[in-house]
C-alpha cells in the first residue's frame, strides 16, 4: 500500500481536523475550563470511532475524563497500547503569543497553537495512522488499544488507580508513547530514560522577630546566613551531591550508553555561547548530555528571606526559606532520597536556627534497556522514514506516568516522539513542525507493521 500517497491526499483534511481539536481550550489546571476539557475528550472519542476503533468509552474520574478504545482482531499478533493526553498547559503570558493560542495558524511549515506538539498533535498521528491502515487494508497488523487521559499536565492524579483497576483491559505487549522530541530536524531519538523527581521546601527560624542590624548585628543568629551555610553543604567542589545515601541505587553508565550519548555530537561550546555562560557546571567526569539525562541532581529552585524591596533596610531576618528539586535516575527511591536529604539538613543545621521541612512531589524514574526488540523495531522504523536510525537517549525531564504505565502493566514502553526541542511546549507560540507531522504518520505505520 502507498501510505505516502494516502497521507498526501488526505493531508488537508487531517490538518483541518487537528486544528478543530486544537481550538478547544482543554486546560486541565484551570477549573473554568472543565467543560472545555470534557468537550475535547468527546471530540477525540468521536474521531476514534470514525477511525474504526471499537469499544470507545469515556470514563469519568474525580477530575477529567479518560478515554479507552481498541481493535482486537489480529489473532496471535502482539498488542500495542497507545498512551497520550489531550489536556494542555495554561497559555500565560498571553501577550507573547503572535497568534491566539486557540486559533490554530500555519506559518512557515509549522502549526501554531497550544497543544500542537504537547500532546494533541503527536497523539493525533496515532489515530490517523490506525485509520489509514484500516481504510486501506481493512485490518491491522497488530491488536491496538488506546488509553488517553486529560490530566497529564496536572500530574495524572486519577490514572494510576484506573491502571490498577483495569490491568486486564489495558494489558499489552508494548506501550507506545509520543510525547517527546527528536534530537534535531532529521535526527530521530528514542528516550530510554526519564528522570524521576522528589522535592521539598525548608524554612529556618532564628529569633521571634526581625532585628535591627546595628543593635543586634554580630550578636545573634541571622536566618539568611544560616540558610546560606546550610545549603552550601549540599554539594562538594566536584559538583557531586554531598548527601549520604543520595546515590544509593545509581548505576554507572555503561560503555554502550556513553557511546550513544557521544553520537549526539552535542556542542557544549555553542551552548555556552547561546546561554551567555563562561563555563558549564556539573558533576566531574560526565559530559553535559550525560549530566542532564543520566545523572541525578539536587537543585535550588528558590532561596528567599529578609528585605526584598527597593533601597536598604538594615535588618537581621528571623526566617529564611528554600525550595529544592531533585531529578532522580533508575533505581533511586524518591522517598529514600527525601529521607536522606532531611537527615543531612538536620545534621548540618547551624547553631541558633530551627529547621522545618515540608516534603512535596515524588516520582520514580523510567528506564529501559535500548536492546529490547520493541525499541530496536522503533529505531528501524525511524530509519525507514527519516533515512537515519534513531539514537537512544535519556531525557532530563520527568513524565511520572510513563514509569507507572510500564510497571503496572509489566510492558516495555517505547517513547517515539515527533516534536522538536525548540517547539515552545509549555511556552507562548507552541508549534509543531509539519515535516514531522508527515513523517510521523509514516513512521507509526511502519512501526506497527514491524511489531
Amino acid at each position: 500500500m502507498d501510505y505516502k500517497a494516502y497521507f498526501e491526499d488526505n493531508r488537508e483534511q487531517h490538518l483541518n481536523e487537528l486544528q478543530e481539536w486544537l481550538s478547544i481550550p482543554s486546560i486541565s489546571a484551570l477549573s473554568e475550563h472543565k467543560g472545555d476539557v470534557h468537550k475535547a475528550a468527546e471530540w477525540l472519542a468521536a474521531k476514534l470511532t470514525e477511525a474504526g476503533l471499537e469499544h470507545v468509552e469515556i470514563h469519568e474520574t474525580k477530575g477529567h475524563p479518560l478515554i479507552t478504545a481498541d481493535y482486537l482482531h489480529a489473532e496471535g499478533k502482539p498488542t500495542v497500547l497507545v498512551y497520550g493526553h489531550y489536556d494542555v498547559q495554561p497559555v500565560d503570558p498571553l501577550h507573547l503569543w503572535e497568534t491566539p493560542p486557540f486559533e490554530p495558524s500555519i506559518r512557515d511549515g509549522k502549526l501554531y497553537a497550544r497543544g500542537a506538539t504537547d500532546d494533541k498533535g503527536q497523539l493525533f498521528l496515532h489515530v490517523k495512522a490506525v485509520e489509514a491502515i484500516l481504510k486501506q487494508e481493512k485490518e491491522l497488523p497488530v491488536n491496538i488499544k488506546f488509553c488517553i487521559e486529560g490530566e497529564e499536565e496536572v500530574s495524572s492524579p486519577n490514572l494510576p488507580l484506573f491502571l490498577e483497576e483495569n490491568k486486564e483491559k489495558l494489558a499489552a505487549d508494548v506501550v507506545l508513547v509520543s510525547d517527546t522530541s527528536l534530537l534535531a530536524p532529521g535526527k530521530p531519538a528514542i528516550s530510554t530514560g526519564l528522570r524521576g523527581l522528589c522535592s521539598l521546601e525548608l524554612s529556618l527560624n532564628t529569633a521571634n522577630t526581625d532585628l535591627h542590624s546595628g543593635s543586634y548585628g554580630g550578636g545573634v543568629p541571622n536566618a539568611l546566613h544560616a540558610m546560606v551555610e546550610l545549603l552550601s553543604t549540599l554539594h562538594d567542589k566536584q559538583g557531586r551531591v554531598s548527601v549520604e545515601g543520595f546515590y544509593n541505587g545509581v548505576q554507572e553508565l555503561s560503555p554502550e550508553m556513553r557511546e550513544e550519548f557521544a553520537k549526539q555530537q552535542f556542542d557544549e561550546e555553542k551552548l555556552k555561547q547561546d546561554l551567555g555562560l563562561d563555563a558549564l557546571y556539573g558533576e566531574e567526569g560526565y559530559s553535559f548530555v550525560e549530566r542532564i539525562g543520566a545523572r541525578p541532581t539536587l537543585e535550588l529552585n528558590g532561596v528567599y528571606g529578609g528585605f526584598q524591596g527597593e533601597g536598604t533596610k538594615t535588618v537581621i531576618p528571623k526566617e529564611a526559606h528554600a525550595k529544592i528539586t531533585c531529578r532522580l535516575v533508575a533505581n533511586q527511591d524518591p522517598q529514600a532520597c527525601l529521607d536522606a536529604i532531611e537527615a543531612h539538613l538536620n545534621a548540618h543545621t547551624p547553631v541558633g536556627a530551627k529547621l522545618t521541612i515540608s516534603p512535596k512531589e515524588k516520582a520514580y524514574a523510567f528506564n529501559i534497556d535500548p536492546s529490547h526488540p520493541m525499541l530496536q523495531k522503533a529505531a528501524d522504523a525511524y530509519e525507514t522514514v527519516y533515512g537515519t536510525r534513531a539514537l537512544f537517549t535519556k531525557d532530563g525531564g520527568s513524565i511520572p506516568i510513563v514509569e507507572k504505565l510500564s510497571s503496572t502493566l509489566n510492558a516495555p514502553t517505547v517513547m517515539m516522539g515527533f516534536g522538536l526541542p525548540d517547539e515552545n511546549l509549555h511556552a507562548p507560540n507552541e508549534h509543531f513542525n509539519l515535516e514531522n507531522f508527515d513523517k510521523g504518520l509514516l513512521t507509526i505505520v511502519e512501526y506497527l507493521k514491524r511489531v
Side-chain angles (χ1 to χ4, degrees):
M1 295 294 176
D2 188 349
Y3 282 95
K4 190 172 187 293
Y6 172 88
F7 287 126
E8 287 176 353
D9 291 343
N10 290 276
R11 190 176 194 261
E12 184 177 355
Q13 178 188 334
H14 290 167
L15 287 174
N16 286 340
E17 290 179 16
L18 176 54
Q19 289 179 82
E20 182 181 306
W21 195 24
L22 291 169
S23 70
I24 303 172
S26 51
I27 305 172
S28 55
L30 302 178
S31 59
E32 66 198 77
H33 286 285
K34 186 174 180 64
D36 295 314
V37 178
H38 208 288
K39 182 180 178 182
E42 292 172 340
W43 188 97
L44 177 58
K47 289 301 174 184
L48 288 166
T49 302
E50 288 178 20
L53 276 296
E54 300 173 342
H55 310 114
V56 180
E57 296 180 74
I58 296 178
H59 305 267
E60 299 296 339
T61 72
K62 293 179 181 178
H64 301 302
L66 284 154
I67 302 164
T68 59
D70 60 44
Y71 194 88
L72 308 175
H73 299 288
E75 187 175 350
K77 300 295 178 64
T79 298
V80 177
L81 173 68
V82 175
Y83 163 81
H85 66 93
Y86 63 88
D87 63 320
V88 301
Q89 281 277 322
V91 298
D92 309 274
L94 188 58
H95 71 279
L96 294 181
W97 286 81
E98 293 181 19
T99 52
F102 297 109
E103 294 180 17
S105 172
I106 295 176
R107 306 191 300 276
D108 301 321
K110 302 171 184 176
L111 173 57
Y112 286 82
R114 173 59 88 224
T117 190
D118 182 23
D119 180 42
K120 286 180 178 176
Q122 296 201 57
L123 173 58
F124 186 74
L125 298 177
H126 292 273
V127 180
K128 290 301 161 185
V130 170
E131 179 182 70
I133 299 174
L134 284 173
K135 282 190 173 182
Q136 296 220 111
E137 304 190 36
K138 311 305 179 188
E139 63 180 5
L140 295 179
V142 295
N143 299 294
I144 199 91
K145 298 178 180 180
F146 281 80
C147 179
I148 313 301
E149 67 163 323
E151 298 183 319
E152 194 275 342
E153 300 293 7
V154 289
S155 301
S156 306
N158 292 294
L159 184 53
L161 178 60
F162 185 83
L163 293 176
E164 291 287 349
E165 293 177 344
N166 293 274
K167 286 183 183 179
E168 186 174 344
K169 179 183 182 70
L170 300 174
D173 296 290
V174 59
V175 179
L176 182 56
V177 182
S178 294
D179 197 10
T180 51
S181 299
L182 283 71
L183 283 173
K187 294 184 177 180
I190 298 171
S191 175
T192 65
L194 296 166
R195 290 195 290 190
L197 183 72
C198 69
S199 64
L200 64 152
E201 296 180 12
L202 60 142
S203 300
L204 285 179
N205 293 80
T206 49
N208 58 11
T209 184
D210 287 351
L211 297 168
H212 189 289
S213 65
S215 302
Y216 293 91
V220 298
N222 181 313
L224 278 175
H225 291 186
M227 182 63 79
V228 170
E229 179 182 340
L230 178 59
L231 297 179
S232 71
T233 69
L234 292 171
H235 294 87
D236 64 19
K237 298 295 185 182
Q238 289 71 47
R240 282 180 61 86
V241 177
S242 300
V243 174
E244 184 177 352
F246 181 80
Y247 289 96
N248 287 353
V250 177
Q251 297 179 352
E252 275 301 322
L253 283 173
S254 67
E256 294 78 15
M257 200 66 238
R258 300 198 89 156
E259 184 179 345
E260 285 295 313
F261 278 119
K263 287 178 183 176
Q264 294 184 32
Q265 298 179 330
F266 188 84
D267 190 338
E268 295 190 2
E269 288 301 317
K270 183 177 184 303
L271 177 66
K272 287 192 290 186
Q273 292 174 13
D274 291 345
L275 298 180
L277 292 171
D278 295 326
L280 299 179
Y281 169 83
E283 192 178 359
E284 283 188 2
Y286 298 93
S287 67
F288 174 79
V289 289
E290 290 171 343
R291 290 169 183 166
I292 66 166
R295 297 297 295 171
T297 65
L298 186 156
E299 296 288 347
L300 307 181
N301 306 126
V303 181
Y304 52 100
F307 179 60
Q308 306 287 315
E310 183 179 356
T312 301
K313 183 180 181 184
T314 54
V315 65
I316 298 175
K318 71 182 185 70
E319 61 184 61
H321 310 272
K323 296 176 183 285
I324 294 174
T325 299
C326 300
R327 299 289 179 168
L328 311 177
V329 297
N331 300 323
Q332 278 185 294
D333 183 324
Q335 185 59 56
C337 287
L338 285 173
D339 292 343
I341 295 167
E342 182 170 355
H344 177 97
L345 292 171
N346 278 312
H348 291 82
T349 300
V351 174
K354 295 178 282 293
L355 175 66
T356 303
I357 297 174
S358 300
K360 299 296 180 182
E361 304 157 288
K362 289 186 295 183
Y364 282 90
F366 163 73
N367 194 58
I368 188 169
D369 186 343
S371 68
H372 193 288
M374 289 297 184
L375 274 74
Q376 291 296 317
K377 292 177 189 297
D380 293 339
Y382 274 118
E383 184 172 18
T384 298
V385 177
Y386 281 82
T388 182
R389 203 162 190 272
L391 292 179
F392 295 104
T393 64
K394 290 186 181 293
D395 289 350
S398 306
I399 309 176
I401 199 60
V402 170
E403 189 280 332
K404 183 61 69 175
L405 281 163
S406 185
S407 61
T408 303
L409 301 178
N410 193 29
T413 298
V414 179
M415 306 285 289
M416 289 186 73
F418 298 98
L420 285 172
D422 63 355
E423 289 181 334
N424 289 14
L425 65 166
H426 293 206
N429 302 309
E430 179 181 348
H431 58 277
F432 191 19
N433 281 259
L434 294 184
E435 177 187 2
N436 292 318
F437 177 88
D438 299 330
K439 289 183 175 179
L441 289 164
L442 294 170
T443 305
I444 292 168
V445 170
E446 180 71 21
Y447 180 64
L448 295 179
K449 287 179 173 291
R450 287 178 177 274
V451 169

